[in-house]
Amino acid sequence: MLVLVTYDVNVQTPEGRKRLRLVAKTCKNMCQRVQKSVFECLVDPAEWVILKNKLEGTIDPEIDSLRFYYLGKNWKRRVDHMGAKEPYDPEGPLLV
Amino acid sequence: MLVLVTYDVNVQTPEGRKRLRLVAKTCKNMCQRVQKSVFECLVDPAEWVILKNKLEGTIDPEIDSLRFYYLGKNWKRRVDHMGAKEPYDPEGPLLV
């Protein structure tokens, strides 16, 4: 299934900038970054529980925001893109 | 139906900062801002065509990115939130 993760982290403090890096790092392990604070995560339910718990531990819930959008298995018909950074296919060949 | 709009606009130039404001302004008319560059748009198909065309005209496709995620009618079960800015219900009472 595809889960979209979007976030706003308050970066007015050094701690905030550290949280921002940690959120991105946590996502990078299992997801594809498609915009600065937007990641697409192709995960199974068990992987998602692990990732979600990790993410919960990275933010300050008083001032940071994490939003998750569950796009399901048929996610390809739910995603559209305009502009820079050509869309990629998380299930496509890994270009190295 | 709910359409999620996320965007990355290159703000290294004054023109870029102007485009960023225009994208946000275009979204604000029909959508709810949930994060800095994330809007949730409760629109019917005809309204979406209008909004999408307007948005296409606001960005520089070489350096800016717009992504649209179609969450359909049963969008409530597809959205999850953690942290600041309590979730709102675009179909709920407008608090003024």
Side-chain angles (χ1 to χ4, degrees), chain B residues 80-95:
Chain B
D80 195 359
H81 172 265
M82 260 181 207
K85 288 175 225 146
E86 276 314 306
Y88 78 100
D89 177 354
E91 289 173 310
L94 190 64
L95 307 177

Side-chain angles (χ1 to χ4, degrees), chain B residues 68-87:
Chain B
F68 309 127
Y69 296 91
Y70 301 99
L71 299 168
K73 290 193 185 99
N74 294 319
W75 54 271
K76 288 187 179 173
R77 62 189 179 84
R78 293 188 181 280
V79 184
D80 195 359
H81 172 265
M82 260 181 207
K85 288 175 225 146
E86 276 314 306

Side-chain angles (χ1 to χ4, degrees), chain A residues 68-90:
Chain A
F68 309 127
Y69 297 92
Y70 300 100
L71 299 169
K73 291 195 184 93
N74 294 319
W75 55 272
K76 287 187 179 172
R77 62 188 179 84
R78 293 189 181 281
V79 184
D80 196 0
H81 172 265
M82 261 180 206
K85 289 174 219 144
E86 277 314 306
Y88 78 101
D89 177 354

Side-chain angles (χ1 to χ4, degrees), chain A residues 36 40 52 64 69 80 84, chain B residues 8 40 52 64 69 80 84:
Chain A
K36 274 189 215 114
E40 291 182 1
K52 189 179 178 184
D64 303 333
Y69 297 92
D80 196 0
Chain B
D8 259 3
E40 291 182 2
K52 188 179 179 185
D64 304 333
Y69 296 91
D80 195 359

